[in-house]
Amino acid sequence: ETKSGVIGGIEVDNLDKLLKGKKADDLITVETIGPEQHEIEEVRGKKITIEYLILGIRRLTPASIEELTTKLGMEDEATLRERVTQALEYRIENEQKDIMRRQLIRHLLDNISFDLPEKASAHQASRNLLNARLRMLDEGATTYEIEERLAALRGNSDEAARHDLKIMFIMERLADQYSIEVDEREVTMRLMRMA
């Protein structure tokens, strides 16, 4: 079984084989086709070559509770555990809201039908990637996790962008119909969470 991975924000098949036996200062060259939904238009569907210089190799070892407490500036282990519990509760709450949001969207998509503008899906694909990046930052994902997930999303079909575009039009119409607006306080709170 081979494993894919991410180089330069693009998912690469058989990355484990490309990295096997490599060491620091080795250069890896990958030839592939740019994902159709890549946010850079010049990359979409084009043959691309990625060169990746391995700067170093490190093995990750789990930190002890004492190291984590000190590194994160917590008073003691109990404070650390309390903060982690709060973060997990926040994540669970957001996941529950996301599930309800998806159920509502599925219901709306099943019951509303209309044609989409043809040229809008490429723009929407870029917007989807930006939104996904912001959502993962909000969830506390690492840079590598974000790039790995975005690489997988870039490989999605045009259908995903059209799906999200349809959702956007429906939500905008509902917001207009029911006079739903976002106030400055909500924007500020969102920015603070992202920061």
Side-chain angles (χ1 to χ4, degrees):
E1 180 183 350
T2 59
K3 296 181 181 178
S4 63
V6 176
I7 292 181
I10 294 178
E11 192 163 357
V12 175
D13 292 331
N14 304 324
L15 184 61
D16 56 339
K17 287 184 178 180
L18 289 170
L19 293 175
K20 188 172 185 174
K22 301 296 184 199
K23 57 190 182 311
D25 297 324
D26 282 354
L27 183 69
I28 297 172
T29 303
V30 177
E31 291 187 1
T32 188
I33 303 296
E36 290 296 333
Q37 300 303 323
H38 199 282
E39 59 269 31
I40 301 173
E41 190 172 345
E42 292 79 18
V43 171
R44 294 179 194 154
K46 304 284 192 308
K47 183 177 178 182
I48 57 173
T49 302
I50 302 169
E51 290 187 343
Y52 187 80
L53 177 64
I54 300 173
L55 298 177
I57 298 172
R58 294 180 179 87
R59 182 175 302 276
L60 298 177
T61 55
S64 69
I65 293 290
E66 294 79 21
E67 290 171 322
L68 280 175
T69 303
T70 303
K71 187 171 185 171
L72 296 174
M74 302 290 167
E75 298 168 15
D76 53 24
E77 182 179 339
T79 305
L80 173 65
R81 290 184 181 279
E82 181 182 335
R83 293 278 175 88
V84 169
T85 300
Q86 289 171 348
L88 291 173
E89 288 171 353
Y90 173 75
R91 180 178 277 184
I92 289 169
E93 181 181 331
N94 280 343
E95 287 174 359
Q96 288 172 339
K97 287 179 183 176
D98 191 50
I99 289 168
M100 290 189 297
R101 193 177 302 117
R102 279 187 267 145
Q103 288 173 341
L104 172 63
I105 287 169
R106 189 177 321 116
H107 174 76
L108 292 171
L109 289 173
D110 289 345
N111 292 288
I112 299 173
S113 178
F114 60 94
D115 293 326
L116 290 171
E118 282 302 317
K119 294 187 177 182
S121 62
H123 179 69
Q124 180 61 33
S126 295
R127 185 182 296 173
N128 288 353
L129 292 172
L130 177 61
N131 287 339
R133 180 183 297 275
L134 293 175
R135 189 170 47 254
M136 287 183 281
L137 282 170
D138 189 40
E139 292 170 356
T142 66
T143 303
Y144 181 77
E145 289 169 334
I146 291 170
E147 287 307 315
E148 188 174 43
R149 180 73 180 121
L150 290 179
L153 290 174
R154 284 184 187 109
N156 282 353
S157 68
D158 186 51
E159 188 61 34
R162 295 179 63 76
H163 174 270
D164 289 346
L165 191 59
K166 190 172 179 182
I167 292 168
M168 183 189 75
F169 283 131
I170 292 170
M171 292 304 186
E172 282 181 3
R173 178 69 177 103
L174 288 171
D176 286 344
Q177 182 175 342
Y178 293 103
S179 301
I180 299 170
E181 295 180 358
V182 177
D183 63 26
E184 190 173 333
R185 187 180 73 74
E186 290 173 302
V187 172
T188 302
M189 292 295 288
R190 174 76 172 168
L191 290 172
M192 287 173 60
R193 280 204 318 266
M194 287 167 50

